[in-house]
Amino acid sequence: MDYVVLDLEWNQASDNNDSRSRLLTFEIVEIGAAKLNSRMELTDTFHALVRPQVYEKMHKVTEKLIGIHMEELQKERTFDLVCRDFLDWCGTDCMFATWGPQDLTELQRNMRFFGMEPLGKGPFRFYDVQKLFSIAYEDQKSRRSLEYAVDCLQIKKDAPFHRAQSDAYYTARVLQLIKDPVALQRFSFDTFRLPEDHYSEVHVVFDSYAKYISRAFPDRDALLADREVISTRCYLCHRNLRRKVKWFSPNGKHYFSVSYCDKHGWMKGKIRVKKAENEMVYAVKTTKFVEEKELGGLMEKKDHARMLRREHRRREKDRKKE
């Protein structure tokens, strides 16, 4: 299997009121990629500029950042032709890698806009090298810039940043230097296309936690009524666990729970409610075993959420009296 390290540059509307931005927020103007083999050796590169078909002017911030002028793009091929060449170059057995999670989403949004099929029928695995760098070299939570990682790893800087070809190369070099087996196991999932039904939902167990990605639901209430979404099953012994702290939310987007397994201890659950491409919603649930002392912060969140609910009810009651 090859690894295709991808980087994109894109343009956007110069005017926030441009109605075209609702159809295609970011129009890709450059594709760069580096191909690594199974031994993480660089074997090939891909680079192409793209002739815009949506936005006639280059956003001033974009132009300054990437140094591409609209005039030099007019002689290039359109996105559909460039993208087909790129996908043929990728081959049929590859795993994508990007710096951050956005590039694959924007690639597929452009593919959909120009009448092309997406990269997969549902969620698929890829390497978010930005996340892997944090796991291997930092605190697992911070998200650094690509240039920061290049400096940290003392990679020679012989090309400017913020161009697709050079950023893909630098990202590939960072990936080559990540040897931590835990980091390399922590692949991410692209969710531009969600599971089509209950049977194709994603369940995966990593070294220290489990992840679940649901199908799409029409709204949050329907999502939170689904048994699989709110289940708290031990991902090690597969038993359904009784929740010691029922699902609660401090903000309406993230939900937390605490369950207990007689064999493996305290399990913290987290559900993130996310918007799908079709205005529906889906859940990304993670479950992780923690020490009892680590639950204090979670209980503080619960108490804060309870206080906010009480305050909301009081305001509603006062409003009705007026």
Side-chain angles (χ1 to χ4, degrees), residues 127-136 175 178 183-184 186:
Y127 273 151
D128 178 348
V129 184
Q130 185 185 50
K131 181 178 78 172
L132 301 189
F133 171 77
S134 181
I135 295 171
L175 180 58
I178 295 176
L184 293 174
R186 298 278 188 90

Side-chain angles (χ1 to χ4, degrees), residues 31-200:
I31 298 176
K35 186 179 290 185
L36 306 175
N37 62 19
S38 59
R39 297 185 297 276
M40 290 292 178
E41 298 167 336
L42 180 65
T43 60
D44 202 0
T45 60
F46 179 95
H47 176 251
L49 294 172
V50 179
R51 185 171 81 235
Q53 297 172 267
V54 180
Y55 301 115
E56 302 88 3
K57 294 182 179 180
M58 189 72 72
H59 192 286
K60 59 182 181 180
V61 175
T62 303
E63 188 173 45
K64 182 178 180 181
L65 183 67
I66 66 179
I68 297 177
H69 304 287
M70 188 60 71
E71 293 75 20
E72 64 184 289
L73 297 175
Q74 297 308 314
K75 64 181 183 296
E76 304 296 339
R77 295 178 300 153
T78 56
F79 175 82
D80 56 328
L81 298 177
V82 172
C83 190
R84 286 191 179 95
D85 278 356
F86 169 65
L87 296 178
D88 288 342
W89 175 84
C90 289
T92 57
D93 186 20
C94 74
M95 181 173 177
F96 287 104
T98 59
W99 189 264
Q102 191 174 3
D103 286 72
L104 286 171
T105 295
E106 297 307 330
L107 177 65
Q108 292 179 98
R109 282 178 178 157
N110 276 252
M111 291 171 67
R112 179 181 60 187
F113 182 86
F114 291 109
M116 302 177 67
E117 291 296 317
L119 297 174
K121 293 183 178 180
F124 61 85
R125 300 178 182 187
F126 75 99
Y127 273 151
D128 178 348
V129 184
Q130 185 185 50
K131 181 178 78 172
L132 301 189
F133 171 77
S134 181
I135 295 171
Y137 293 102
E138 298 203 308
D139 61 0
Q140 303 194 25
K141 296 180 180 180
S142 60
R143 296 294 181 263
R144 301 290 192 175
S145 70
L146 177 57
E147 187 169 7
Y148 175 94
V150 168
D151 289 338
C152 178
L153 298 177
Q154 299 182 341
I155 296 170
K156 183 180 179 181
K157 295 192 287 188
D158 49 12
F161 287 87
H162 307 301
R163 287 298 300 267
Q165 187 174 24
S166 55
D167 282 5
Y169 169 76
Y170 286 133
T171 303
R173 289 288 292 119
V174 173
L175 180 58
Q176 287 177 315
L177 294 174
I178 295 176
K179 309 296 184 182
D180 184 350
V182 172
L184 293 174
Q185 189 225 15
R186 298 278 188 90
F187 48 80
S188 298
F189 282 91
D190 175 82
T191 54
F192 182 82
R193 288 285 294 269
L194 291 168
E196 294 181 350
D197 51 38
H198 170 74
Y199 300 101
S200 56

